[in-house]
């Protein structure tokens, strides 16, 4: 699976932004997908995941209620809708494909074996 994230940029606090992750490869429709982010000087942080069919999602505590992950397997795309953005959401955002080795473990970055290049989101105060 090859992943291409896009949609980042500069937004004011309280605003919204939608990130996209375009995937190539025949296994996308059977692969759980995740979003992570990494701020300068900080470790990579789990943001959200969505299972292969889109029927199950899970969010990190810091984004719960503000972010929504979705996918369209026909378009080979995963989205991350981000609302009520805060300056602390500033980070490089990465989409990733879950390896499938441990299906019930999806918060750790080690469970993902394909990564996009990242897209920078900057939230100004």
């Amino acid at each position: 699976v090859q992943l291409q994230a896009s949609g980042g940029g500069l937004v004011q606090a309280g605003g919204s932004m939608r990130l996209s992750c375009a995937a190539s490869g025949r296994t996308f429709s059977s692969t759980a997908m995740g979003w992570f982010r990494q701020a300068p000087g900080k470790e990579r942080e789990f943001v959200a995941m969505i299972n292969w069919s889109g029927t199950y999602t899970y969010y990190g505590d810091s984004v719960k209620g503000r972010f929504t992950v979705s996918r369209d397997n026909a378009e080979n795309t995963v989205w991350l809708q981000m609302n009520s953005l805060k300056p602390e959401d500033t980070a490089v955002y990465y989409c990733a494909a879950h390896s499938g080795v441990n299906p019930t473990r999806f918060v750790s970055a080690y469970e993902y074996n394909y990564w996009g290049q990242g897209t920078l989101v900057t939230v100004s105060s």
Side-chain angles (χ1 to χ4, degrees), residues 7-114:
L10 176 65
V11 64
Q12 288 189 331
S16 298
M17 183 175 287
R18 188 175 81 157
L19 304 183
S20 299
C21 177
S24 62
R26 294 179 297 173
T27 61
F28 173 80
S29 61
S30 61
T31 302
M33 298 294 295
W35 285 95
F36 289 77
R37 67 186 183 186
Q38 189 164 18
K42 294 189 176 182
E43 294 186 353
R44 193 163 294 192
E45 176 189 13
F46 170 78
V47 174
M49 70 77 66
I50 186 167
N51 73 338
W52 68 273
S53 62
T55 56
Y56 178 79
T57 58
Y58 187 81
Y59 299 91
D61 289 341
S62 61
V63 306
K64 202 171 296 183
R66 300 187 297 123
F67 290 12
T68 302
V69 59
S70 60
R71 70 189 294 162
D72 186 330
N73 287 342
E75 295 189 14
N76 276 15
T77 303
V78 178
W79 296 277
L80 183 68
Q81 176 66 43
M82 306 183 293
N83 298 329
S84 302
L85 283 162
K86 305 174 182 179
E88 50 264 44
D89 294 319
T90 295
V92 176
Y93 283 72
Y94 300 89
C95 60
H98 195 276
S99 70
V101 174
N102 297 301
T104 60
R105 299 170 64 90
F106 44 77
V107 174
S108 170
Y110 293 107
E111 301 298 335
Y112 297 78
N113 56 351
Y114 293 99

